[in-house]
Amino acid sequence: MASRNIPLFDVRKSAKNGLRLPVVVFVAVSLFAIWIFLPSSPTFPVANPDLLYQENDTLGHRVTNGSLRNTQIQSQDVPNDDKRTVEKNGSDDAGEQTEFDSANTVETDLEEDKSEESTPGKTSSEKTSDISEMTSELDNETEDRQKNNYNESNESREEQNTGMSSTEGGQKDGEQTMDDAASDLDEKFNGSKGSDSDMVDSAEKLNAEDSLDDVKQDNKEVNQNTKRVQQDHDKNSEKTAANNILEIQEQNEKLSQQDSKEQNYYTWKVCNTTAGPDYIPCLDNVYAVRRLPSIIHFEHRERHCPENGPMCLVPLPAGYRKPIQWPISRDKIWFRNVPHSELAVAKGHQNWVKVTGEYLTFPGGGTQFVQGALHYIDMIQNANPAISWGKRTRVILDVGCGVASFGGYLFERDVLAMSFAPKDVHEAQVQFALERGIPAILGVMGSKRLPFPGGVFDVIHCARCRVPWHVEGGKLLLELNRVLRPGGYFVWSATPIYRRDPEDAGIWKEMSKLTMAMCWDLVVIKKDKLNKVAIAMYRKPTSNECYDKRPQNAPPLCNKFDDPNSAWNVTLQACMHKVPVDMLERGSKWPEKWPVRLENPPYWLNEVGVHGKPSQEDFTADYKHWKDVVSHTYLNGIGVRWSSIRNVMDMKAVYGGFAAVLKDLKLWVMNVIPIESPDTLPIIYERGLFGMYHDWCESFNTYPRSYDLLHADNLFSSLKRRCNLMPVFAEVDRILRPEGILIVRDDVATIAEIESIAKSLQWDVIFTHSKDNEGLLSVQKTFWRPLDVETITSAIA
């Protein structure tokens, strides 16, 4: 008997080998009975399933998968402008009706054939031919149903992938119904039917000598077999139809799960954490902080990143609205954007911040300059004209910045201040600064080095920052010495300078010993009569002569193998690095005055550059490149309203060319050098810009909604080799403000991936372009937040 893996119509052709009519009849009826008892969906060996799809050009089939989406089905042979769309509602019933119609068709055919069998006047050969034709039709119908099921599965996949909305519509030209498709397949095999009939006629002639009794007996056997088959079919037809429906539903469920997985690759949820709208993954890891052996060095304020970066979105504060633009934002911000009033209560008398109706207002004061930052800034320069704000002094570090009013008012003097403070020492002080449009990051002087290279800040400032500089061999002050440029100044405004109570007097004594041992010169002590405070100003040496003359090597000099530029996750060392004295070495000379230093390559660039050219030539070419890009594309062609941009981050800055070109706009740029990139951050500082090291596989040390614009030049393609892009993009969403802009330059494949992720976040694509496998994408974040919630257990207090 035939194998189950052979199509039934192939078995049917074996009738030509019969020589006697009874054999022919018996074989035909037996095959029919076998077909009835076979599974409803026998496996057919199909060499090319796509050919079946093309032959069965059926657009009117719907296979439901239980989803709520509208679906659209389009044949390969129908033009794009001739599509038939259907409503998804009621598709379950339609799918079931298709299967029951098919079962009813089989039953109707059997009944008709049975009635024809009993019709008087038909000969034995005619009846045998009828049975053969009935078997052929059933074969064709089975084959047709299988092909229809195959096409329904393919069309269901097309519906999932298309994702377009559907409308009602009738059958159009070029479309086929199920009956049409079955008719096509029947016509394809008509030649087989004719040849079978001819073979039956030949067999009848060869057996003309058979007796009439034999023929009647054969007819009786045929009638009995047909009746038995009919009875068996009546019993199993309902069960077969139900099984077919079950198989279709199981198949559709699998397709639905697969397609749902593909479409939900970017499924977002809102982060549920104790920090709520202020969640910072690497600083709010409660699980890790609780397990610290000690917090004596403020380890609980340092970075403790979760093992896997969060893939959820930080919620917006209730009532959040677009931030007030600079320069108005320096003086007031929306209270609901940063709804914290604790600092206004604690420091209101010092003019840090006040709650004024729906605003938080900033009078410009601070603990050491209650009467305003501008007077304090001028007082510093008057005490030491060598400071020369905005010319000799361009980039400063403000330690323990408070709400960063000092840095905010230094913009009027062409000075950039990198302000930092720990999270939650004063509630949301850094968040206030960023909302105002003032540069600031979250950081602490604890057990690790600051994320800056050595010898880059022109001035370091500390106003009542309450840091115990003198303890543990002066470890924390030695860290400031590492990042301070030779010849740079440390401006210290604190009570030990002008108060004489035992505690302050003791601190001043210890501080004097430490700074002397570090070879810092005490340049001036200046008392501010208006604010009734005083400042002490120290200068770092420009040679190693003092180090060599010290009677004791304390604090000790660092090991010669200790790289002062190595700063990412490096433990603090209580030592000093020697001052560079070689005239071709960075730090041996002071940079050119601002703004000349911005455009000229540093004198100490003498190696091969990042892009493969000699370093100074590479620097110049990079600057020219960004001038062309910004002037020809960014300022006019990508839909960015630059007047609304204040806080900017270049996520992979290289030489800082992008920031340099934007110097005339009223904005500031945080230049980030990824830890896997060449260390070009000292060049950025030499130009009078600032930045920091960072690993983009982890969270950045800033509050949510900190930046108006993020710029990523060939960053994401390199990150894909190291980490999953989904947590990285969740971090991008976290630090970018609603209605903020992300500009991406990368290869075409990465651009397509980023665009897909951005769309899943409901961001608006405002510009995209590609050429020669290089792409440019500009997208804008919206206020959208998903409804589903994901609890971050490590961030629950």
Side-chain angles (χ1 to χ4, degrees), residues 323-334 338 362 403-405 407-411 415-417 419 429-440 644-648 666-670 690 705-708 737:
I324 297 173
Q325 293 184 17
W326 182 269
I328 298 174
S329 62
R330 186 181 67 178
D331 301 324
K332 66 179 182 179
I333 62 175
W334 299 116
V338 192
F362 301 88
V403 297
S405 290
Y409 282 91
L410 276 171
F411 277 108
V415 175
L416 280 179
S419 302
Q429 54 186 330
V430 168
Q431 192 173 22
F432 285 142
L434 290 164
E435 186 73 14
R436 296 173 70 187
I438 302 171
S644 65
I645 303 298
R646 174 61 182 173
N647 302 353
V648 178
K666 300 299 182 181
L667 53 79
W668 60 271
V669 180
M670 175 67 74
F690 61 17
R705 305 169 300 278
S706 293
Y707 288 88
D708 301 309
R737 291 173 172 173

Side-chain angles (χ1 to χ4, degrees), residues 260-313:
S260 176
K261 182 178 180 181
E262 292 173 358
Q263 290 205 353
N264 293 334
Y265 180 69
Y266 308 127
T267 300
W268 300 101
K269 297 181 180 180
V270 171
C271 302
N272 176 27
T273 65
T274 300
D278 297 336
Y279 175 51
I280 305 167
C282 290
L283 298 182
D284 289 319
N285 191 344
V286 180
Y287 178 85
V289 169
R290 284 175 175 170
R291 284 156 179 77
L292 290 173
S294 172
I295 60 172
I296 192 172
H297 295 115
F298 267 61
E299 290 91 344
H300 58 301
R301 305 294 189 197
E302 294 181 326
R303 294 172 58 83
H304 301 283
C305 298
E307 183 175 353
N308 297 313
M311 293 176 60
C312 54
L313 307 181

Side-chain angles (χ1 to χ4, degrees), residues 192-450:
S192 298
K193 288 185 179 181
S195 60
D196 288 346
S197 179
D198 293 341
M199 287 187 289
V200 172
D201 292 340
S202 299
E204 187 176 12
K205 291 179 181 179
L206 291 174
N207 294 282
E209 66 276 9
D210 289 346
S211 66
L212 181 61
D213 293 337
D214 293 336
V215 172
K216 290 181 178 180
Q217 182 65 28
D218 291 340
N219 289 339
K220 184 178 179 179
E221 293 176 1
V222 169
N223 290 335
Q224 291 175 349
N225 290 336
T226 302
K227 184 177 181 180
R228 184 173 64 253
V229 169
Q230 176 64 31
Q231 291 174 348
D232 293 338
H233 177 74
D234 291 339
K235 294 178 181 179
N236 296 322
S237 59
E238 184 175 355
K239 180 179 179 181
T240 301
N243 288 338
N244 288 342
I245 294 173
L246 182 60
E247 290 177 5
I248 290 290
Q249 290 175 342
E250 290 176 351
Q251 183 181 22
N252 291 339
E253 181 65 23
K254 292 179 181 179
L255 292 175
S256 174
Q257 291 175 359
Q258 179 178 352
D259 292 336
S260 176
K261 182 178 180 181
E262 292 173 358
Q263 290 205 353
N264 293 334
Y265 180 69
Y266 308 127
T267 300
W268 300 101
K269 297 181 180 180
V270 171
C271 302
N272 176 27
T273 65
T274 300
D278 297 336
Y279 175 51
I280 305 167
C282 290
L283 298 182
D284 289 319
N285 191 344
V286 180
Y287 178 85
V289 169
R290 284 175 175 170
R291 284 156 179 77
L292 290 173
S294 172
I295 60 172
I296 192 172
H297 295 115
F298 267 61
E299 290 91 344
H300 58 301
R301 305 294 189 197
E302 294 181 326
R303 294 172 58 83
H304 301 283
C305 298
E307 183 175 353
N308 297 313
M311 293 176 60
C312 54
L313 307 181
V314 176
L316 299 178
Y320 180 87
R321 58 197 299 183
K322 185 176 181 179
I324 297 173
Q325 293 184 17
W326 182 269
I328 298 174
S329 62
R330 186 181 67 178
D331 301 324
K332 66 179 182 179
I333 62 175
W334 299 116
F335 173 76
R336 288 196 174 272
N337 285 13
V338 192
H340 300 292
S341 58
E342 295 87 347
L343 200 58
V345 175
K347 299 292 183 180
H349 64 288
Q350 296 178 354
N351 282 338
W352 280 33
V353 57
K354 298 180 181 295
V355 178
T356 309
E358 60 181 348
Y359 299 103
L360 289 168
T361 57
F362 301 88
T367 304
Q368 296 298 104
F369 43 91
V370 176
Q371 303 303 321
L374 276 178
H375 168 80
Y376 178 77
I377 290 169
D378 290 338
M379 185 266 294
I380 292 174
Q381 179 161 302
N382 292 334
N384 182 15
I387 288 287
S388 186
W389 296 125
K391 294 182 175 59
R392 183 182 188 272
T393 298
R394 164 64 181 175
V395 185
I396 75 168
L397 179 66
D398 189 16
V399 182
C401 61
V403 297
S405 290
F406 179 67
Y409 282 91
L410 276 171
F411 277 108
E412 297 185 9
R413 303 291 189 266
D414 263 347
V415 175
L416 280 179
M418 173 75 77
S419 302
F420 81 96
K423 182 183 180 183
D424 295 334
V425 171
H426 292 306
E427 185 68 40
Q429 54 186 330
V430 168
Q431 192 173 22
F432 285 142
L434 290 164
E435 186 73 14
R436 296 173 70 187
I438 302 171
I441 61 170
L442 287 162
V444 63
M445 300 195 68
S447 64
K448 301 291 182 65
R449 284 180 175 177
L450 297 172

Side-chain angles (χ1 to χ4, degrees), residues 511-585:
M511 190 69 168
S512 298
K513 290 180 180 179
L514 177 60
T515 53
M516 185 177 296
M518 293 171 58
C519 297
W520 281 10
D521 290 332
L522 178 57
V523 177
V524 65
I525 296 178
K526 175 71 174 182
K527 188 171 183 178
D528 181 5
K529 295 181 180 180
L530 179 63
N531 287 301
K532 298 180 179 179
V533 299
I535 61 171
M537 199 174 303
Y538 300 89
R539 185 172 184 262
K540 182 178 177 178
T542 56
S543 73
N544 296 311
E545 182 179 358
C546 175
Y547 297 151
D548 297 334
K549 292 182 178 180
R550 289 184 306 165
Q552 294 180 344
N553 187 30
L557 293 177
C558 297
N559 187 297
K560 64 179 180 179
F561 298 108
D562 187 281
D563 183 4
N565 299 325
S566 181
W568 184 253
N569 283 336
V570 176
T571 303
L572 278 178
Q573 303 294 324
C575 63
M576 296 183 298
H577 295 89
K578 280 197 169 186
V579 172
V581 293
D582 188 332
M583 296 304 294
L584 296 179
E585 192 174 359

Side-chain angles (χ1 to χ4, degrees), residues 449-490:
R449 284 180 175 177
L450 297 172
F452 314 120
V456 291
F457 289 102
D458 302 335
V459 167
I460 296 177
H461 172 257
C462 170
R464 194 77 174 272
C465 48
R466 295 186 178 276
V467 177
W469 300 116
H470 59 285
V471 302
E472 296 187 1
K475 182 183 293 185
L476 300 183
L477 194 62
L478 291 171
E479 173 61 6
L480 294 190
N481 184 76
R482 181 185 69 86
V483 299
L484 182 61
R485 191 182 299 278
Y489 294 96
F490 174 59

Side-chain angles (χ1 to χ4, degrees), residues 262-263 265-266 268 726 729 750-763 765 777 779:
E262 292 173 358
Q263 290 205 353
Y265 180 69
Y266 308 127
W268 300 101
M726 295 302 293
F729 216 87
T750 302
I751 289 291
E753 186 173 358
I754 296 303
E755 181 176 357
S756 177
I757 299 175
K759 288 179 178 178
S760 74
L761 287 165
Q762 311 299 318
W763 291 14
V765 178
L777 174 69
V779 291

